[in-house]
CSV table of all heavy atoms in Angstrom, one decimal:
chain,number,residue,atom,x,y,z
A,187,ASN,N,3.9,-20.9,2.7
A,187,ASN,CA,4.1,-19.9,1.7
A,187,ASN,C,5.1,-20.4,0.7
A,187,ASN,O,6.1,-21.0,1.1
A,187,ASN,CB,4.6,-18.6,2.3
A,187,ASN,CG,4.6,-17.5,1.3
A,187,ASN,OD1,5.2,-17.6,0.3
A,187,ASN,ND2,4.0,-16.3,1.7
A,188,LYS,N,4.8,-20.3,-0.6
A,188,LYS,CA,5.8,-20.8,-1.6
A,188,LYS,C,7.2,-20.3,-1.4
A,188,LYS,O,8.1,-21.0,-1.8
A,188,LYS,CB,5.2,-20.5,-3.0
A,188,LYS,CG,4.0,-21.3,-3.4
A,188,LYS,CD,3.6,-21.1,-4.8
A,188,LYS,CE,2.4,-21.9,-5.2
A,188,LYS,NZ,2.0,-21.7,-6.6
A,189,LYS,N,7.4,-19.1,-0.9
A,189,LYS,CA,8.7,-18.5,-0.7
A,189,LYS,C,9.5,-19.4,0.4
A,189,LYS,O,10.7,-19.4,0.4
A,189,LYS,CB,8.6,-17.1,-0.2
A,189,LYS,CG,8.1,-16.1,-1.3
A,189,LYS,CD,8.2,-14.7,-0.7
A,189,LYS,CE,7.7,-13.7,-1.8
A,189,LYS,NZ,7.7,-12.3,-1.3
A,190,ASP,N,8.7,-20.0,1.3
A,190,ASP,CA,9.4,-20.8,2.3
A,190,ASP,C,9.6,-22.2,2.0
A,190,ASP,O,10.3,-23.0,2.7
A,190,ASP,CB,8.5,-20.8,3.6
A,190,ASP,CG,8.4,-19.3,4.1
A,190,ASP,OD1,9.3,-18.6,4.0
A,190,ASP,OD2,7.3,-19.0,4.6
A,191,GLU,N,9.1,-22.7,0.9
A,191,GLU,CA,9.1,-24.1,0.6
A,191,GLU,C,10.5,-24.5,0.0
A,191,GLU,O,11.1,-23.7,-0.8
A,191,GLU,CB,8.0,-24.5,-0.5
A,191,GLU,CG,6.6,-24.3,0.1
A,191,GLU,CD,5.6,-24.7,-0.9
A,191,GLU,OE1,6.0,-25.2,-2.0
A,191,GLU,OE2,4.4,-24.4,-0.7
A,192,GLU,N,11.0,-25.6,0.4
A,192,GLU,CA,12.2,-26.2,-0.1
A,192,GLU,C,11.9,-27.6,-0.6
A,192,GLU,O,12.1,-28.6,0.0
A,192,GLU,CB,13.3,-26.3,1.0
A,192,GLU,CG,14.0,-25.0,1.3
A,192,GLU,CD,15.1,-25.2,2.2
A,192,GLU,OE1,15.4,-26.3,2.7
A,192,GLU,OE2,15.9,-24.2,2.5
A,193,LYS,N,11.4,-27.7,-1.8
A,193,LYS,CA,11.0,-28.9,-2.4
A,193,LYS,C,10.2,-29.8,-1.4
A,193,LYS,O,10.8,-30.8,-0.8
A,193,LYS,CB,12.2,-29.7,-2.9
A,193,LYS,CG,13.0,-28.9,-4.0
A,193,LYS,CD,14.2,-29.7,-4.5
A,193,LYS,CE,14.9,-29.0,-5.6
A,193,LYS,NZ,16.1,-29.7,-6.1
A,194,PRO,N,9.0,-29.4,-1.1
A,194,PRO,CA,8.3,-30.1,0.0
A,194,PRO,C,8.3,-31.6,-0.1
A,194,PRO,O,8.2,-32.2,-1.2
A,194,PRO,CB,6.8,-29.6,-0.2
A,194,PRO,CG,7.1,-28.2,-0.8
A,194,PRO,CD,8.2,-28.4,-1.7
A,195,LEU,N,8.5,-32.3,1.0
A,195,LEU,CA,8.4,-33.7,1.0
A,195,LEU,C,7.0,-34.2,1.4
A,195,LEU,O,6.2,-33.4,1.7
A,195,LEU,CB,9.4,-34.2,2.1
A,195,LEU,CG,10.8,-33.7,2.0
A,195,LEU,CD1,11.6,-34.2,3.2
A,195,LEU,CD2,11.5,-34.2,0.7
A,196,VAL,N,6.7,-35.4,1.2
A,196,VAL,CA,5.4,-36.0,1.6
A,196,VAL,C,5.6,-37.2,2.5
A,196,VAL,O,6.4,-38.1,2.3
A,196,VAL,CB,4.7,-36.4,0.3
A,196,VAL,CG1,3.3,-37.0,0.7
A,196,VAL,CG2,4.5,-35.3,-0.6
A,197,THR,N,4.9,-37.2,3.6
A,197,THR,CA,4.9,-38.3,4.5
A,197,THR,C,3.5,-38.8,4.6
A,197,THR,O,2.6,-38.3,4.0
A,197,THR,CB,5.4,-37.9,5.9
A,197,THR,OG1,4.3,-37.1,6.5
A,197,THR,CG2,6.7,-37.1,5.9
A,198,ASP,N,3.3,-39.9,5.5
A,198,ASP,CA,2.0,-40.4,5.6
A,198,ASP,C,1.0,-39.4,6.3
A,198,ASP,O,-0.2,-39.7,6.3
A,198,ASP,CB,2.0,-41.7,6.4
A,198,ASP,CG,2.6,-41.6,7.8
A,198,ASP,OD1,3.1,-40.4,8.1
A,198,ASP,OD2,2.6,-42.5,8.5
A,199,LYS,N,1.5,-38.3,6.8
A,199,LYS,CA,0.7,-37.3,7.4
A,199,LYS,C,0.5,-36.1,6.6
A,199,LYS,O,-0.1,-35.1,7.0
A,199,LYS,CB,1.3,-36.9,8.8
A,199,LYS,CG,1.3,-38.1,9.8
A,199,LYS,CD,1.8,-37.6,11.2
A,199,LYS,CE,1.7,-38.7,12.2
A,199,LYS,NZ,2.2,-38.3,13.5
A,200,GLY,N,1.1,-36.1,5.3
A,200,GLY,CA,0.9,-35.0,4.4
A,200,GLY,C,2.2,-34.4,4.0
A,200,GLY,O,3.3,-34.9,4.3
A,201,ARG,N,2.1,-33.2,3.4
A,201,ARG,CA,3.3,-32.5,2.9
A,201,ARG,C,4.1,-31.9,4.0
A,201,ARG,O,3.6,-31.6,5.1
A,201,ARG,CB,2.9,-31.4,1.9
A,201,ARG,CG,2.1,-32.0,0.7
A,201,ARG,CD,1.8,-30.9,-0.3
A,201,ARG,NE,3.0,-30.4,-1.0
A,201,ARG,CZ,3.0,-29.4,-1.8
A,201,ARG,NH1,1.8,-28.7,-2.0
A,201,ARG,NH2,4.1,-29.0,-2.4
A,202,VAL,N,5.5,-31.8,3.8
A,202,VAL,CA,6.4,-31.1,4.7
A,202,VAL,C,6.8,-29.8,4.1
A,202,VAL,O,7.3,-29.8,3.0
A,202,VAL,CB,7.6,-32.0,5.0
A,202,VAL,CG1,8.6,-31.3,5.9
A,202,VAL,CG2,7.2,-33.3,5.6
A,203,TYR,N,6.6,-28.7,4.8
A,203,TYR,CA,7.0,-27.4,4.4
A,203,TYR,C,8.3,-26.9,5.2
A,203,TYR,O,8.7,-27.5,6.2
A,203,TYR,CB,5.9,-26.4,4.6
A,203,TYR,CG,4.6,-26.8,3.8
A,203,TYR,CD1,3.6,-27.6,4.5
A,203,TYR,CD2,4.4,-26.5,2.5
A,203,TYR,CE1,2.5,-28.0,3.8
A,203,TYR,CE2,3.3,-26.9,1.8
A,203,TYR,CZ,2.3,-27.7,2.5
A,203,TYR,OH,1.2,-28.1,1.8
A,204,SER,N,8.8,-25.8,4.8
A,204,SER,CA,10.0,-25.3,5.5
A,204,SER,C,9.9,-23.7,5.5
A,204,SER,O,9.3,-23.1,4.7
A,204,SER,CB,11.3,-25.7,4.9
A,204,SER,OG,11.4,-25.2,3.6
A,205,GLU,N,10.6,-23.2,6.6
A,205,GLU,CA,10.8,-21.7,6.6
A,205,GLU,C,12.1,-21.5,7.3
A,205,GLU,O,12.7,-22.3,8.0
A,205,GLU,CB,9.7,-21.1,7.4
A,205,GLU,CG,9.7,-21.3,8.9
A,205,GLU,CD,8.5,-20.6,9.6
A,205,GLU,OE1,7.7,-20.0,8.9
A,205,GLU,OE2,8.6,-20.5,10.8
A,206,LYS,N,12.6,-20.2,7.0
A,206,LYS,CA,13.9,-19.9,7.5
A,206,LYS,C,13.8,-19.2,8.9
A,206,LYS,O,12.9,-18.6,9.3
A,206,LYS,CB,14.6,-18.9,6.6
A,206,LYS,CG,14.7,-19.4,5.2
A,206,LYS,CD,15.6,-20.6,5.0
A,206,LYS,CE,15.7,-21.0,3.6
A,206,LYS,NZ,16.6,-22.2,3.4
A,207,ALA,N,14.9,-19.4,9.7
A,207,ALA,CA,15.0,-18.7,11.0
A,207,ALA,C,16.4,-18.4,11.2
A,207,ALA,O,17.4,-18.9,10.6
A,207,ALA,CB,14.5,-19.7,12.1
A,208,ILE,N,16.7,-17.4,12.2
A,208,ILE,CA,18.0,-17.0,12.5
A,208,ILE,C,18.2,-17.3,14.0
A,208,ILE,O,17.4,-16.9,14.8
A,208,ILE,CB,18.3,-15.5,12.2
A,208,ILE,CG1,18.3,-15.3,10.7
A,208,ILE,CG2,19.6,-15.1,12.8
A,208,ILE,CD1,18.5,-13.8,10.4
A,209,VAL,N,19.3,-17.9,14.4
A,209,VAL,CA,19.7,-18.0,15.8
A,209,VAL,C,20.9,-17.0,16.0
A,209,VAL,O,21.9,-17.2,15.4
A,209,VAL,CB,20.1,-19.4,16.2
A,209,VAL,CG1,20.6,-19.5,17.6
A,209,VAL,CG2,18.9,-20.4,15.9
A,210,LYS,N,20.7,-16.1,16.9
A,210,LYS,CA,21.8,-15.1,17.1
A,210,LYS,C,22.5,-15.5,18.4
A,210,LYS,O,21.9,-15.7,19.4
A,210,LYS,CB,21.2,-13.7,17.3
A,210,LYS,CG,22.2,-12.6,17.5
A,210,LYS,CD,21.5,-11.3,17.7
A,210,LYS,CE,22.6,-10.2,18.0
A,210,LYS,NZ,21.9,-8.8,18.1
A,211,ALA,N,23.8,-15.6,18.4
A,211,ALA,CA,24.6,-16.1,19.5
A,211,ALA,C,25.9,-15.3,19.7
A,211,ALA,O,26.5,-14.9,18.7
A,211,ALA,CB,24.9,-17.6,19.5
A,212,ASP,N,26.3,-15.0,20.9
A,212,ASP,CA,27.6,-14.5,21.2
A,212,ASP,C,28.5,-15.7,21.3
A,212,ASP,O,28.5,-16.5,22.2
A,212,ASP,CB,27.5,-13.8,22.6
A,212,ASP,CG,28.9,-13.1,22.9
A,212,ASP,OD1,29.8,-13.2,22.1
A,212,ASP,OD2,29.0,-12.5,24.0
A,213,LEU,N,29.3,-15.8,20.2
A,213,LEU,CA,30.1,-17.0,20.0
A,213,LEU,C,31.4,-17.1,20.8
A,213,LEU,O,31.6,-17.9,21.7
A,213,LEU,CB,30.4,-17.3,18.6
A,213,LEU,CG,31.1,-18.6,18.2
A,213,LEU,CD1,30.2,-19.8,18.5
A,213,LEU,CD2,31.5,-18.6,16.8
A,214,LYS,N,32.3,-16.1,20.6
A,214,LYS,CA,33.6,-16.2,21.2
A,214,LYS,C,34.3,-14.9,20.9
A,214,LYS,O,34.2,-14.2,19.8
A,214,LYS,CB,34.4,-17.3,20.5
A,214,LYS,CG,35.6,-17.7,21.3
A,214,LYS,CD,36.2,-19.0,20.7
A,214,LYS,CE,37.5,-19.4,21.4
A,214,LYS,NZ,38.1,-20.6,20.8
A,215,TYR,N,35.2,-14.4,21.9
A,215,TYR,CA,36.0,-13.3,21.8
A,215,TYR,C,35.2,-12.0,21.4
A,215,TYR,O,35.8,-11.1,20.8
A,215,TYR,CB,37.1,-13.5,20.7
A,215,TYR,CG,37.9,-14.7,20.8
A,215,TYR,CD1,38.4,-15.4,19.7
A,215,TYR,CD2,38.4,-15.1,22.1
A,215,TYR,CE1,39.2,-16.5,19.8
A,215,TYR,CE2,39.2,-16.2,22.2
A,215,TYR,CZ,39.6,-16.9,21.1
A,215,TYR,OH,40.4,-18.0,21.2
A,216,GLY,N,33.9,-12.0,21.7
A,216,GLY,CA,33.1,-10.8,21.3
A,216,GLY,C,32.6,-10.8,19.9
A,216,GLY,O,31.9,-9.9,19.5
A,217,VAL,N,32.9,-11.9,19.2
A,217,VAL,CA,32.4,-12.0,17.8
A,217,VAL,C,31.0,-12.6,17.8
A,217,VAL,O,30.8,-13.6,18.5
A,217,VAL,CB,33.4,-13.0,17.0
A,217,VAL,CG1,32.8,-13.2,15.6
A,217,VAL,CG2,34.8,-12.3,16.9
A,218,ILE,N,30.1,-12.0,17.1
A,218,ILE,CA,28.7,-12.5,17.0
A,218,ILE,C,28.5,-13.3,15.8
A,218,ILE,O,29.0,-12.9,14.7
A,218,ILE,CB,27.7,-11.3,17.0
A,218,ILE,CG1,28.0,-10.4,18.2
A,218,ILE,CG2,26.3,-11.8,16.9
A,218,ILE,CD1,27.7,-11.1,19.5
A,219,VAL,N,27.8,-14.4,15.9
A,219,VAL,CA,27.5,-15.2,14.8
A,219,VAL,C,26.0,-15.3,14.6
A,219,VAL,O,25.2,-15.4,15.6
A,219,VAL,CB,28.1,-16.7,14.9
A,219,VAL,CG1,27.5,-17.4,16.2
A,219,VAL,CG2,27.8,-17.5,13.7
A,220,HIS,N,25.6,-15.2,13.4
A,220,HIS,CA,24.2,-15.5,13.0
A,220,HIS,C,24.1,-16.8,12.4
A,220,HIS,O,24.8,-17.0,11.3
A,220,HIS,CB,23.6,-14.4,12.1
A,220,HIS,CG,23.2,-13.2,12.7
A,220,HIS,ND1,22.8,-12.0,12.0
A,220,HIS,CD2,23.1,-12.8,14.0
A,220,HIS,CE1,22.5,-11.1,12.9
A,220,HIS,NE2,22.7,-11.5,14.1
A,221,LYS,N,23.4,-17.8,13.0
A,221,LYS,CA,23.3,-19.1,12.4
A,221,LYS,C,21.9,-19.2,11.7
A,221,LYS,O,20.9,-18.9,12.3
A,221,LYS,CB,23.3,-20.2,13.5
A,221,LYS,CG,24.7,-20.2,14.2
A,221,LYS,CD,24.6,-21.4,15.2
A,221,LYS,CE,26.0,-21.5,15.9
A,221,LYS,NZ,26.0,-22.6,16.9
A,222,TYR,N,21.9,-19.5,10.5
A,222,TYR,CA,20.7,-19.6,9.7
A,222,TYR,C,20.2,-21.0,9.8
A,222,TYR,O,21.0,-22.0,9.5
A,222,TYR,CB,21.0,-19.2,8.2
A,222,TYR,CG,21.4,-17.7,8.1
A,222,TYR,CD1,22.7,-17.4,8.2
A,222,TYR,CD2,20.4,-16.7,8.0
A,222,TYR,CE1,23.1,-16.0,8.1
A,222,TYR,CE2,20.8,-15.4,7.9
A,222,TYR,CZ,22.1,-15.1,8.0
A,222,TYR,OH,22.5,-13.7,7.9
A,223,LYS,N,18.9,-21.2,10.1
A,223,LYS,CA,18.4,-22.5,10.3
A,223,LYS,C,17.1,-22.7,9.4
A,223,LYS,O,16.4,-21.7,9.3
A,223,LYS,CB,18.0,-22.7,11.8
A,223,LYS,CG,17.5,-24.0,12.2
A,223,LYS,CD,17.5,-24.3,13.7
A,223,LYS,CE,16.6,-23.4,14.4
A,223,LYS,NZ,16.5,-23.7,15.8
A,224,THR,N,16.9,-23.9,8.9
A,224,THR,CA,15.7,-24.2,8.2
A,224,THR,C,14.9,-25.1,9.1
A,224,THR,O,15.3,-26.1,9.6
A,224,THR,CB,16.0,-25.0,6.9
A,224,THR,OG1,16.8,-24.1,6.0
A,224,THR,CG2,14.7,-25.3,6.2
A,225,ILE,N,13.6,-24.6,9.3
A,225,ILE,CA,12.7,-25.4,10.2
A,225,ILE,C,11.7,-26.1,9.3
A,225,ILE,O,11.1,-25.5,8.4
A,225,ILE,CB,12.0,-24.5,11.1
A,225,ILE,CG1,13.0,-23.8,12.1
A,225,ILE,CG2,10.9,-25.2,12.0
A,225,ILE,CD1,12.4,-22.7,12.9
A,226,TYR,N,11.4,-27.4,9.5
A,226,TYR,CA,10.5,-28.1,8.7
A,226,TYR,C,9.2,-28.4,9.5
A,226,TYR,O,9.3,-28.6,10.8
A,226,TYR,CB,11.1,-29.5,8.3
A,226,TYR,CG,12.3,-29.3,7.5
A,226,TYR,CD1,13.6,-29.4,8.0
A,226,TYR,CD2,12.2,-29.1,6.1
A,226,TYR,CE1,14.7,-29.2,7.3
A,226,TYR,CE2,13.3,-29.0,5.3
A,226,TYR,CZ,14.6,-29.0,5.9
A,226,TYR,OH,15.7,-28.8,5.1
A,227,TYR,N,8.1,-28.3,8.9
A,227,TYR,CA,6.8,-28.5,9.6
A,227,TYR,C,5.7,-29.0,8.7
A,227,TYR,O,5.9,-29.0,7.4
A,227,TYR,CB,6.3,-27.2,10.2
A,227,TYR,CG,6.0,-26.1,9.2
A,227,TYR,CD1,4.7,-25.9,8.8
A,227,TYR,CD2,7.0,-25.2,8.7
A,227,TYR,CE1,4.4,-24.9,7.8
A,227,TYR,CE2,6.7,-24.3,7.8
A,227,TYR,CZ,5.4,-24.1,7.3
A,227,TYR,OH,5.1,-23.1,6.4
A,228,GLN,N,4.7,-29.5,9.3
A,228,GLN,CA,3.5,-30.0,8.5
A,228,GLN,C,2.2,-29.3,9.0
A,228,GLN,O,2.2,-28.9,10.1
A,228,GLN,CB,3.4,-31.5,8.6
A,228,GLN,CG,4.5,-32.3,8.0
A,228,GLN,CD,4.3,-33.8,8.2
A,228,GLN,OE1,4.5,-34.3,9.3
A,228,GLN,NE2,4.0,-34.5,7.1
A,229,MET,N,1.2,-29.3,8.2
A,229,MET,CA,-0.1,-28.8,8.6
A,229,MET,C,-1.0,-30.1,8.8
A,229,MET,O,-1.3,-30.8,7.8
A,229,MET,CB,-0.7,-27.9,7.5
A,229,MET,CG,0.2,-26.7,7.3
A,229,MET,SD,0.5,-25.7,8.8
A,229,MET,CE,-1.2,-25.2,9.1
A,230,ILE,N,-1.3,-30.4,10.0
A,230,ILE,CA,-2.1,-31.5,10.3
A,230,ILE,C,-3.4,-31.1,11.0
A,230,ILE,O,-3.4,-30.5,12.1
A,230,ILE,CB,-1.3,-32.5,11.3
A,230,ILE,CG1,-0.1,-32.9,10.5
A,230,ILE,CG2,-2.2,-33.7,11.6
A,230,ILE,CD1,0.8,-33.8,11.4
A,231,ASP,N,-4.6,-31.4,10.4
A,231,ASP,CA,-5.9,-31.0,11.0
A,231,ASP,C,-5.9,-29.5,11.3
A,231,ASP,O,-6.4,-29.0,12.3
A,231,ASP,CB,-6.2,-31.7,12.2
A,231,ASP,CG,-6.3,-33.2,12.0
A,231,ASP,OD1,-6.7,-33.6,10.9
A,231,ASP,OD2,-6.0,-34.0,12.9
A,232,GLY,N,-5.3,-28.7,10.3
A,232,GLY,CA,-5.3,-27.2,10.5
A,232,GLY,C,-4.3,-26.7,11.5
A,232,GLY,O,-4.3,-25.5,11.7
A,233,GLU,N,-3.5,-27.5,12.1
A,233,GLU,CA,-2.5,-27.0,13.0
A,233,GLU,C,-1.1,-27.3,12.5
A,233,GLU,O,-0.9,-28.3,11.9
A,233,GLU,CB,-2.7,-27.7,14.4
A,233,GLU,CG,-4.0,-27.3,15.1
A,233,GLU,CD,-4.1,-27.9,16.5
A,233,GLU,OE1,-3.0,-28.5,16.9
A,233,GLU,OE2,-5.1,-27.8,17.1
A,234,ARG,N,-0.2,-26.4,12.8
A,234,ARG,CA,1.2,-26.6,12.4
A,234,ARG,C,1.9,-27.5,13.4
A,234,ARG,O,1.8,-27.3,14.6
A,234,ARG,CB,1.9,-25.2,12.4
A,234,ARG,CG,3.4,-25.3,12.2
A,234,ARG,CD,4.0,-24.0,12.2
A,234,ARG,NE,5.5,-24.0,12.3
A,234,ARG,CZ,6.3,-23.2,11.8
A,234,ARG,NH1,5.9,-22.3,11.0
A,234,ARG,NH2,7.6,-23.3,12.0
A,235,LYS,N,2.6,-28.5,12.9
A,235,LYS,CA,3.4,-29.4,13.7
A,235,LYS,C,4.9,-29.4,13.2
A,235,LYS,O,5.1,-29.8,12.0
A,235,LYS,CB,2.9,-30.8,13.6
A,235,LYS,CG,1.4,-31.0,14.0
A,235,LYS,CD,1.3,-30.8,15.5
A,235,LYS,CE,-0.2,-31.0,15.9
A,235,LYS,NZ,-0.4,-30.8,17.4
A,236,ASP,N,5.8,-28.9,14.0
A,236,ASP,CA,7.2,-28.9,13.6
A,236,ASP,C,7.7,-30.3,13.6
A,236,ASP,O,7.4,-31.1,14.4
A,236,ASP,CB,8.0,-28.1,14.6
A,236,ASP,CG,7.8,-26.6,14.5
A,236,ASP,OD1,7.1,-26.2,13.5
A,236,ASP,OD2,8.2,-25.8,15.4
A,237,CYS,N,8.6,-30.6,12.6
A,237,CYS,CA,9.1,-32.0,12.5
A,237,CYS,C,10.6,-32.0,12.1
A,237,CYS,O,11.1,-32.9,11.4
A,237,CYS,CB,8.3,-32.7,11.4
A,237,CYS,SG,8.2,-31.9,9.8
A,238,GLY,N,11.3,-31.0,12.7
A,238,GLY,CA,12.8,-31.1,12.5
A,238,GLY,C,13.4,-29.8,12.0
A,238,GLY,O,12.6,-28.9,11.6
A,239,SER,N,14.7,-29.6,12.1
A,239,SER,CA,15.4,-28.4,11.6
A,239,SER,C,16.8,-28.8,11.3
A,239,SER,O,17.3,-29.8,11.8
A,239,SER,CB,15.3,-27.3,12.6
A,239,SER,OG,16.0,-27.7,13.8
A,240,LYS,N,17.5,-27.9,10.6
A,240,LYS,CA,18.9,-28.1,10.4
A,240,LYS,C,19.5,-26.7,10.1
A,240,LYS,O,18.9,-25.8,9.6
A,240,LYS,CB,19.2,-29.0,9.2
A,240,LYS,CG,18.8,-28.4,7.8
A,240,LYS,CD,19.2,-29.4,6.7
A,240,LYS,CE,18.8,-28.9,5.3
A,240,LYS,NZ,19.2,-29.8,4.3
A,241,TYR,N,20.8,-26.5,10.5
A,241,TYR,CA,21.5,-25.3,10.2
A,241,TYR,C,22.0,-25.3,8.8
A,241,TYR,O,22.5,-26.3,8.3
A,241,TYR,CB,22.7,-25.1,11.2
A,241,TYR,CG,22.3,-24.8,12.6
A,241,TYR,CD1,22.5,-25.7,13.6
A,241,TYR,CD2,21.7,-23.6,12.9
A,241,TYR,CE1,22.1,-25.5,14.9
A,241,TYR,CE2,21.3,-23.3,14.2
A,241,TYR,CZ,21.5,-24.3,15.2
A,241,TYR,OH,21.1,-24.0,16.5
A,242,THR,N,21.8,-24.1,8.1
A,242,THR,CA,22.2,-24.1,6.7
A,242,THR,C,23.1,-23.0,6.3
A,242,THR,O,23.5,-22.8,5.2
A,242,THR,CB,20.9,-23.9,5.9
A,242,THR,OG1,20.2,-22.7,6.4
A,242,THR,CG2,20.0,-25.1,5.9
A,243,GLY,N,23.6,-22.2,7.3
A,243,GLY,CA,24.6,-21.1,7.0
A,243,GLY,C,24.9,-20.3,8.2
A,243,GLY,O,24.2,-20.4,9.3
Side-chain angles (χ1 to χ4, degrees):
N187 187 307
K188 288 186 178 181
K189 290 184 179 180
D190 296 324
E191 295 180 10
E192 284 189 353
K193 298 180 179 179
L195 307 174
V196 178
T197 71
D198 57 355
K199 294 183 180 180
R201 300 182 71 184
V202 176
Y203 303 93
S204 66
E205 70 178 13
K206 306 296 183 180
I208 294 179
V209 176
K210 180 181 179 181
D212 183 359
L213 183 66
K214 196 174 181 181
Y215 306 143
V217 175
I218 302 297
V219 61
H220 280 175
K221 296 183 178 181
Y222 296 88
K223 183 165 66 172
T224 298
I225 299 173
Y226 299 95
Y227 63 94
Q228 292 180 290
M229 300 302 297
I230 301 174
D231 297 329
E233 293 186 7
R234 170 178 166 147
K235 302 290 184 181
D236 290 346
C237 53
S239 65
K240 69 176 180 180
Y241 289 109
T242 53

